Amino acid sequence: GAVVSQHPSWVICKSGTSVKIECRSLDFQATTMFWYRQFPKQSLMLMATSNEGSKATYEQGVEKDKFLINHASLTLSTLTVTSAHPEDSSFYICSAGTSGGTLPYNEQFFGPGTRLTVL
Amino acid sequence: AQTVTQSQPEMSVQEAETVTLSCTYDTSESDYYLFWYKQPPSRQMILVIRQEAYKQQNATENRFSVNFQKAAKSFSLKISDSQLGDAAMYFCAYRSYGNKLVFGAGTILRVKS
């Protein structure tokens, strides 16, 4: 159990367009979802934390109008990169936090990531 | 704020030998979790091992074990009988009961055959 999917796995878009990335918990309910950004050979940088039904909490330095996060249900969160530019090219990873039950409480399970390339 | 430091950007180990990856952290909290994650070339984050701070016993998972020194705020990962499939980026991470993970910079592990 505890599988998290992301879609798409790889997206190429033109500068100025918006891109939506989906993160789904397939076999558990995720009360909290996290979005990270990772540059090559670097660590994961937390962008924002979202709880189902409420507004996301963004980390310092992350533009909330640029990176729109929606957590509409206990199994789905989306990250929309608005008006994407080449500097937004990166690897985006989501993780889903559990609320207990058969899975460890507050454990985070990671999606496979989405590679975004903005031309 | 909590910080996690991995001082070894790269490490190499011969197949079948043992290697230890270092991690130190800084926190004023007494209860927290520590993790080692593996990120292979696929970039999927894989949990290797978890340690709860209130447990004195070091966690082990098959060939993977940790040396948790709470007073020294040290959390090293030992990989025994290294295999080619162990080659990856390894991240040490800290999590308080607030659920947010703080990652170290990572250590690239290369396994030589």
Side-chain angles (χ1 to χ4, degrees):
Chain A
V3 178
V4 177
S5 70
Q6 272 184 252
H7 178 79
S9 57
W10 192 9
V11 57
I12 301 174
C13 69
K14 292 183 178 180
S15 185
T17 61
S18 294
V19 174
K20 180 184 284 188
I21 302 170
E22 289 188 351
C23 176
R24 293 182 184 272
S25 56
L26 298 184
D27 50 5
F28 67 99
Q29 293 186 327
T31 51
T32 307
M33 287 189 172
F34 305 84
W35 287 95
Y36 298 87
R37 184 173 183 176
Q38 186 182 31
F39 292 105
K41 295 190 178 181
Q42 292 189 23
S43 188
L44 281 70
M45 181 192 79
L46 179 65
M47 299 174 66
T49 303
S50 72
N51 291 294
E52 184 263 338
S54 58
K55 288 185 179 180
T57 301
Y58 290 82
E59 295 299 300
Q60 193 172 8
V62 177
E63 300 174 61
K64 59 182 67 177
D65 295 330
K66 174 78 168 174
F67 300 99
L68 300 179
I69 292 171
N70 183 278
H71 191 165
S73 76
L74 286 172
T75 59
L76 173 65
S77 177
T78 60
L79 167 67
T80 301
V81 183
T82 62
S83 187
H85 291 285
E87 57 266 30
D88 298 323
S89 298
S90 189
F91 192 68
Y92 293 87
I93 303 173
C94 74
S95 72
T98 63
S99 56
T102 58
L103 296 172
Y105 181 71
N106 269 341
E107 190 69 52
Q108 282 191 36
F109 297 91
F110 288 84
T114 296
R115 180 181 295 180
L116 170 63
T117 301
V118 185
L119 302 176
Chain B
Q2 295 85 15
T3 58
V4 177
T5 302
Q6 293 179 249
S7 58
Q8 306 154 315
E10 290 191 26
M11 292 283 285
S12 290
V13 63
Q14 201 70 33
E15 201 175 3
E17 294 191 346
T18 296
V19 65
T20 299
L21 307 184
S22 300
C23 173
T24 58
Y25 59 95
D26 188 28
T27 183
S28 57
E29 297 174 333
S30 59
D31 289 326
Y32 48 87
Y33 293 89
L34 295 165
F35 303 86
W36 278 98
Y37 286 92
K38 170 185 178 181
Q39 189 179 42
S42 68
R43 303 188 79 170
Q44 170 73 60
M45 294 289 283
I46 300 167
L47 176 64
V48 175
I49 200 163
R50 176 198 303 111
Q51 176 79 44
E52 291 143 315
Y54 68 87
K55 291 187 177 179
Q56 291 186 331
Q57 188 173 7
N58 289 324
T60 62
E61 286 288 341
N62 301 313
R63 298 182 296 108
F64 299 88
S65 62
V66 297
N67 184 0
F68 173 47
Q69 301 290 328
K70 191 173 184 180
K73 295 179 183 174
S74 170
F75 183 61
S76 61
L77 174 70
K78 185 171 82 171
I79 306 174
S80 304
D81 185 26
S82 296
Q83 301 174 359
L84 293 176
D86 295 333
M89 183 88 140
Y90 286 82
F91 292 101
C92 178
Y94 170 102
R95 197 193 84 213
S96 67
Y97 282 93
N99 207 9
K100 198 184 291 189
L101 277 171
V102 177
F103 288 93
T107 297
I108 296 172
L109 178 65
R110 305 187 194 282
V111 181
K112 301 176 185 176
S113 60

